[in-house]
mmCIF file of all heavy atoms in Angstrom:
data_model
loop_
_atom_site.group_PDB
_atom_site.id
_atom_site.type_symbol
_atom_site.label_atom_id
_atom_site.label_comp_id
_atom_site.label_asym_id
_atom_site.label_seq_id
_atom_site.Cartn_x
_atom_site.Cartn_y
_atom_site.Cartn_z
ATOM 1 N N ALA Q 112 7.540 13.845 -12.498
ATOM 2 C CA ALA Q 112 7.297 12.733 -11.571
ATOM 3 C C ALA Q 112 7.853 11.434 -12.140
ATOM 4 O O ALA Q 112 8.460 10.638 -11.418
ATOM 5 C CB ALA Q 112 5.806 12.593 -11.292
ATOM 6 N N ASP Q 113 7.657 11.228 -13.434
ATOM 7 C CA ASP Q 113 8.180 10.013 -14.061
ATOM 8 C C ASP Q 113 9.702 9.974 -13.992
ATOM 9 O O ASP Q 113 10.296 8.930 -13.740
ATOM 10 C CB ASP Q 113 7.707 9.922 -15.514
ATOM 11 C CG ASP Q 113 6.207 9.772 -15.598
ATOM 12 O OD1 ASP Q 113 5.670 8.831 -14.978
ATOM 13 O OD2 ASP Q 113 5.565 10.607 -16.258
ATOM 14 N N TRP Q 114 10.341 11.125 -14.196
ATOM 15 C CA TRP Q 114 11.801 11.188 -14.107
ATOM 16 C C TRP Q 114 12.242 10.990 -12.659
ATOM 17 O O TRP Q 114 13.191 10.259 -12.377
ATOM 18 C CB TRP Q 114 12.331 12.493 -14.677
ATOM 19 C CG TRP Q 114 13.793 12.657 -14.463
ATOM 20 C CD1 TRP Q 114 14.408 13.663 -13.786
ATOM 21 C CD2 TRP Q 114 14.845 11.784 -14.902
ATOM 22 N NE1 TRP Q 114 15.769 13.460 -13.773
ATOM 23 C CE2 TRP Q 114 16.057 12.321 -14.453
ATOM 24 C CE3 TRP Q 114 14.858 10.598 -15.619
ATOM 25 C CZ2 TRP Q 114 17.286 11.711 -14.699
ATOM 26 C CZ3 TRP Q 114 16.089 9.984 -15.866
ATOM 27 C CH2 TRP Q 114 17.288 10.549 -15.419
ATOM 28 N N GLU Q 115 11.552 11.613 -11.724
ATOM 29 C CA GLU Q 115 11.899 11.483 -10.304
ATOM 30 C C GLU Q 115 11.876 10.019 -9.861
ATOM 31 O O GLU Q 115 12.762 9.566 -9.131
ATOM 32 C CB GLU Q 115 10.919 12.296 -9.457
ATOM 33 C CG GLU Q 115 11.162 12.210 -7.969
ATOM 34 C CD GLU Q 115 12.420 12.912 -7.499
ATOM 35 O OE1 GLU Q 115 12.925 13.810 -8.203
ATOM 36 O OE2 GLU Q 115 12.920 12.550 -6.418
ATOM 37 N N LEU Q 116 10.889 9.277 -10.307
ATOM 38 C CA LEU Q 116 10.766 7.871 -9.915
ATOM 39 C C LEU Q 116 11.812 6.976 -10.577
ATOM 40 O O LEU Q 116 11.989 5.829 -10.169
ATOM 41 C CB LEU Q 116 9.370 7.351 -10.242
ATOM 42 C CG LEU Q 116 8.256 7.960 -9.383
ATOM 43 C CD1 LEU Q 116 6.900 7.646 -9.980
ATOM 44 C CD2 LEU Q 116 8.375 7.479 -7.952
ATOM 45 N N ARG Q 117 12.486 7.491 -11.562
ATOM 46 C CA ARG Q 117 13.478 6.681 -12.270
ATOM 47 C C ARG Q 117 14.909 7.122 -11.977
ATOM 48 O O ARG Q 117 15.845 6.635 -12.581
ATOM 49 C CB ARG Q 117 13.177 6.705 -13.764
ATOM 50 C CG ARG Q 117 11.949 5.832 -14.036
ATOM 51 C CD ARG Q 117 11.235 6.158 -15.303
ATOM 52 N NE ARG Q 117 10.077 5.296 -15.466
ATOM 53 C CZ ARG Q 117 8.868 5.557 -14.966
ATOM 54 N NH1 ARG Q 117 8.660 6.638 -14.246
ATOM 55 N NH2 ARG Q 117 7.870 4.718 -15.162
ATOM 56 N N GLN Q 118 15.083 8.041 -11.031
ATOM 57 C CA GLN Q 118 16.419 8.456 -10.622
ATOM 58 C C GLN Q 118 16.932 7.535 -9.524
ATOM 59 O O GLN Q 118 16.172 7.162 -8.632
ATOM 60 C CB GLN Q 118 16.388 9.886 -10.078
ATOM 61 C CG GLN Q 118 16.160 10.913 -11.145
ATOM 62 C CD GLN Q 118 16.283 12.303 -10.577
ATOM 63 O OE1 GLN Q 118 17.290 12.620 -9.961
ATOM 64 N NE2 GLN Q 118 15.263 13.110 -10.770
ATOM 65 N N PRO Q 119 18.201 7.184 -9.594
ATOM 66 C CA PRO Q 119 18.754 6.306 -8.554
ATOM 67 C C PRO Q 119 18.874 7.037 -7.221
ATOM 68 O O PRO Q 119 19.207 8.205 -7.167
ATOM 69 C CB PRO Q 119 20.122 5.932 -9.106
ATOM 70 C CG PRO Q 119 20.449 6.965 -10.109
ATOM 71 C CD PRO Q 119 19.159 7.517 -10.618
ATOM 72 N N ARG Q 120 18.575 6.304 -6.170
ATOM 73 C CA ARG Q 120 18.682 6.845 -4.807
ATOM 74 C C ARG Q 120 19.229 5.750 -3.900
ATOM 75 O O ARG Q 120 18.788 4.615 -3.959
ATOM 76 C CB ARG Q 120 17.324 7.274 -4.291
ATOM 77 C CG ARG Q 120 16.695 8.341 -5.116
ATOM 78 C CD ARG Q 120 15.713 9.122 -4.269
ATOM 79 N NE ARG Q 120 15.034 10.126 -5.053
ATOM 80 C CZ ARG Q 120 15.508 11.325 -5.310
ATOM 81 N NH1 ARG Q 120 16.670 11.687 -4.859
ATOM 82 N NH2 ARG Q 120 14.818 12.178 -6.025
ATOM 83 N N ARG Q 121 20.146 6.106 -3.066
ATOM 84 C CA ARG Q 121 20.653 5.139 -2.091
ATOM 85 C C ARG Q 121 19.584 4.845 -1.051
ATOM 86 O O ARG Q 121 19.443 3.740 -0.595
ATOM 87 C CB ARG Q 121 21.915 5.658 -1.418
ATOM 88 C CG ARG Q 121 23.063 5.741 -2.392
ATOM 89 C CD ARG Q 121 24.388 5.843 -1.650
ATOM 90 N NE ARG Q 121 25.463 6.040 -2.606
ATOM 91 C CZ ARG Q 121 25.993 5.101 -3.345
ATOM 92 N NH1 ARG Q 121 25.571 3.879 -3.254
ATOM 93 N NH2 ARG Q 121 26.974 5.372 -4.186
ATOM 94 N N ARG Q 122 18.842 5.867 -0.700
ATOM 95 C CA ARG Q 122 17.719 5.694 0.231
ATOM 96 C C ARG Q 122 16.468 6.163 -0.507
ATOM 97 O O ARG Q 122 16.244 7.352 -0.680
ATOM 98 C CB ARG Q 122 17.942 6.529 1.481
ATOM 99 C CG ARG Q 122 19.119 6.073 2.290
ATOM 100 C CD ARG Q 122 19.347 6.887 3.528
ATOM 101 N NE ARG Q 122 18.367 7.945 3.751
ATOM 102 C CZ ARG Q 122 18.639 9.086 4.358
ATOM 103 N NH1 ARG Q 122 19.829 9.345 4.773
ATOM 104 N NH2 ARG Q 122 17.694 9.979 4.536
ATOM 105 N N PRO Q 123 15.639 5.241 -0.980
ATOM 106 C CA PRO Q 123 14.481 5.629 -1.766
ATOM 107 C C PRO Q 123 13.590 6.626 -1.030
ATOM 108 O O PRO Q 123 13.328 6.492 0.147
ATOM 109 C CB PRO Q 123 13.721 4.328 -2.026
ATOM 110 C CG PRO Q 123 14.532 3.254 -1.464
ATOM 111 C CD PRO Q 123 15.677 3.818 -0.719
#
Side-chain angles (χ1 to χ4, degrees):
D113 295 305
W114 173 239
E115 179 70 22
L116 291 167
R117 286 158 181 87
Q118 289 186 54
R120 299 205 183 276
R121 292 197 185 282
R122 294 180 2 211

